Amino acid sequence: MAAAGLAMALQTARADEELPIGVIAAQSGSFVSAGNTIVGAANLAAQQINDAGGIKVGDKTYKIKLYIRDNRTDVNVTIASARELVNDIGVKAIWGTETHDFSVSMAKITGPAKVLQFSGNSSLGAVLDDKAVAEDGWLHYAFQSEPQERQHRQGRAVAAHAAAEVAAEAFGGVRRQ
C-alpha cells in the first residue's frame, strides 16, 4: 500500500535525481518471514516505479534508491538502523517494520525528522489517534498500511452479510434475517 502512495505521483520521464528510501525489516531472526515480504515488496515497487521513469515532483523526476537494513528482529538494531538512515543517509521515507514496538520506536526518530514512515503492522493503529496524527502530533509522518484486526473482522462480517443478501436475491428473493 505504501508503494501505491508513492506510485500515485508516478510519471514517465527521465530521472534527474535519486530519492533515498529506507527499508528496515527482519532478514534474520524470528520475524524473517514477515521481513522478507517487506523487502520483496519494496524491491518490486522500486523496480516498477523506476522502470516506468521514476516519480515526478515539481520540475524534477526521481529514481528510487533503496537502503535496506536487516533489523535482525531486534528493537535496538531497528533504532540504530533508523538513526543511520535518517541522520547519515538522509532518507525521505522508511518502510517497515514487522512489529508495533519496533514501529513506535522508529517513529520517535522519523517523526521529528519529518521522514515518512510506512508500517504494515496492524497494531500501530492503537496509537494512531487524532491527537497523535495531527500536524503537531508525534505520529504525523507515520502511516499504517494494514488495518487493525477488528477492521478485518468487521470487513468479513459485512462481506458475509452482503454475500448472503445477494445469494438470497438470486435464489428466489429469500432474505436472511
Side-chain angles (χ1 to χ4, degrees):
M1 218 174 229
L6 287 174
M8 288 191 323
L10 187 64
Q11 297 284 330
T12 303
R14 185 181 68 76
D16 299 323
E17 296 184 32
E18 288 183 340
L19 177 62
I21 305 285
V23 179
I24 301 176
Q27 294 180 289
S28 59
S30 58
F31 296 145
V32 70
S33 62
N36 284 338
T37 61
I38 293 170
V39 172
N43 279 322
L44 178 62
Q47 179 184 347
Q48 289 178 342
I49 291 168
N50 289 342
D51 288 351
I55 296 176
K56 186 165 177 75
V57 179
D59 295 341
K60 293 184 178 180
T61 303
Y62 297 86
K63 291 273 189 164
I64 294 175
K65 176 160 177 56
L66 294 179
Y67 292 86
I68 299 171
R69 299 295 182 264
D70 177 7
N71 69 16
R72 301 190 306 248
T73 314
D74 181 322
V75 70
N76 293 314
V77 175
T78 300
I79 292 167
S81 296
R83 284 187 179 131
E84 175 205 3
L85 292 170
V86 169
N87 299 330
D88 299 340
I89 295 176
V91 298
K92 303 302 179 194
I94 295 179
W95 294 341
T97 72
E98 308 80 13
T99 73
H100 169 83
D101 294 342
F102 291 20
S103 293
V104 169
S105 296
M106 282 177 35
K108 293 175 182 177
I109 297 161
T110 59
K114 298 182 179 180
V115 170
L116 297 175
Q117 178 181 330
F118 299 96
S119 295
N121 64 69
S122 60
S123 63
L124 188 60
V127 294
L128 289 173
D129 59 25
D130 290 341
K131 184 178 178 183
V133 300
E135 194 167 333
D136 60 345
W138 74 282
L139 290 172
H140 182 68
Y141 295 93
F143 297 87
Q144 174 184 324
S145 62
E146 180 181 313
Q148 294 182 37
E149 180 57 32
R150 68 178 167 75
Q151 292 170 311
H152 283 297
R153 288 193 304 272
Q154 272 180 316
R156 286 192 297 266
V158 169
H161 180 73
E165 293 288 318
V166 169
E169 232 175 88
F171 295 107
V174 179
R175 295 185 67 169
R176 187 176 84 156
Q177 298 296 326

